[in-house]
């Protein structure tokens, strides 16, 4: 959503200048301020697993709510709702994935393979990001913004279940453990 937020606002009827301004303002503010409390408060106190769960739940919920807004609102109300939804989505991404992702790789791999494991983990994340970046414009032009967001919300819900069932809770454990 960060990469394509100007396109999202253009799709909502804003001209290119307005879309660029709305995109820069909303994503810039949303990206900046949650990172510091997430890094210094959340990860140390709740651990990466809970951060992933909070991030996934918030991203999925904001996606579903955003899709409902796109299907039911128009005009000024839709613009405001989109900005708020985009802000909430990015906030939960930054609180969860944006910070926990960087802590998780080094935490979960044992010391002898930590470097290689973390590299593979971050490579897989880059591939997933590339897939999302490549599929969004195609989905936007074929099924529309609301349903594209629904698909990503469902994928994020699946990620929530995956984190809940398969990701160990490393909170309070020494790094060597």
């Amino acid at each position: 959503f960060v990469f394509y937020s100007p396109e999202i606002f253009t799709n909502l009827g804003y001209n290119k200048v307005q879309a660029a301004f709305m995109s820069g303002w909303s994503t810039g503010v949303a990206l900046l301020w949650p990172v510091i409390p997430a890094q210094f408060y959340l990860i140390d106190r709740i651990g990466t697993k809970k951060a992933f769960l909070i991030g996934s739940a918030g991203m999925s919920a904001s996606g579903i709510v955003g899709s409902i807004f796109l299907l039911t609102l128009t005009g000024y109300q839709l613009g405001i709702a989109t900005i708020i939804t985009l802000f909430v989505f990015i906030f939960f991404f930054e609180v969860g994935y944006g910070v926990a992702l960087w802590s998780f790789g080094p935490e979960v791999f044992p010391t002898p393979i930590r470097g290689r494991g973390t590299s593979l983990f971050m490579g897989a994340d880059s591939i997933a990001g590339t897939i999302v970046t490549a599929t969004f414009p195609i989905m936007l032009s074929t099924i529309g913004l609301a349903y594209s967001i629904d698909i990503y919300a469902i994928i994020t819900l699946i990620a929530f279940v995956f984190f809940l069932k398969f990701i160990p809770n490393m909170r309070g454990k020494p790094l060597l453990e």
Side-chain angles (χ1 to χ4, degrees):
F1 294 114
V2 174
F3 296 149
Y4 289 108
S5 59
E7 183 67 26
I8 291 170
F9 284 109
T10 303
N11 192 273
L12 294 173
Y14 291 93
N15 67 42
K16 289 185 183 233
V17 172
Q18 292 170 325
F21 176 78
M22 298 300 284
S23 169
W25 177 85
S26 60
T27 58
V29 170
L31 284 168
L32 180 63
W33 72 276
V35 173
I36 294 170
Q39 284 179 336
F40 296 108
Y41 180 74
L42 281 178
I43 297 298
D44 286 344
R45 289 186 175 65
I46 68 170
T48 53
K49 180 176 182 167
K50 284 187 182 175
F52 277 134
L53 292 172
I54 291 168
S56 296
M59 288 165 47
S60 185
S62 66
I64 291 166
V65 169
S67 177
I68 292 168
F69 287 159
L70 286 164
L71 294 171
T72 59
L73 299 176
T74 58
Y76 181 75
Q77 291 176 329
L78 178 59
I80 296 298
T82 301
I83 291 169
I84 292 169
T85 304
L86 186 66
F87 188 87
V88 170
F89 176 89
I90 293 170
F91 173 82
F92 278 106
F93 174 84
E94 287 300 324
V95 164
Y97 292 39
V99 174
L101 192 68
W102 296 99
S103 299
F104 180 74
E107 279 182 354
V108 77
F109 292 106
T111 304
I113 64 163
R114 184 168 292 138
R116 288 180 299 234
T118 301
S119 295
L120 287 172
F121 174 72
M122 296 312 292
D125 176 64
S126 294
I127 291 168
T130 300
I131 291 168
V132 169
T133 303
T135 58
F136 183 77
I138 296 164
M139 291 185 349
L140 183 63
S141 67
T142 56
I143 62 174
L145 183 58
Y147 297 114
S148 299
I149 291 171
D150 281 340
I151 289 171
Y152 292 126
I154 291 166
I155 291 169
T156 309
L157 260 175
I158 293 167
F160 177 88
V161 173
F162 177 82
F163 292 134
L164 188 63
K165 292 195 176 283
F166 298 110
I167 299 299
N169 186 3
M170 305 299 282
R171 184 176 173 265
K173 293 183 181 178
L175 189 57
L176 293 176
E177 188 180 321

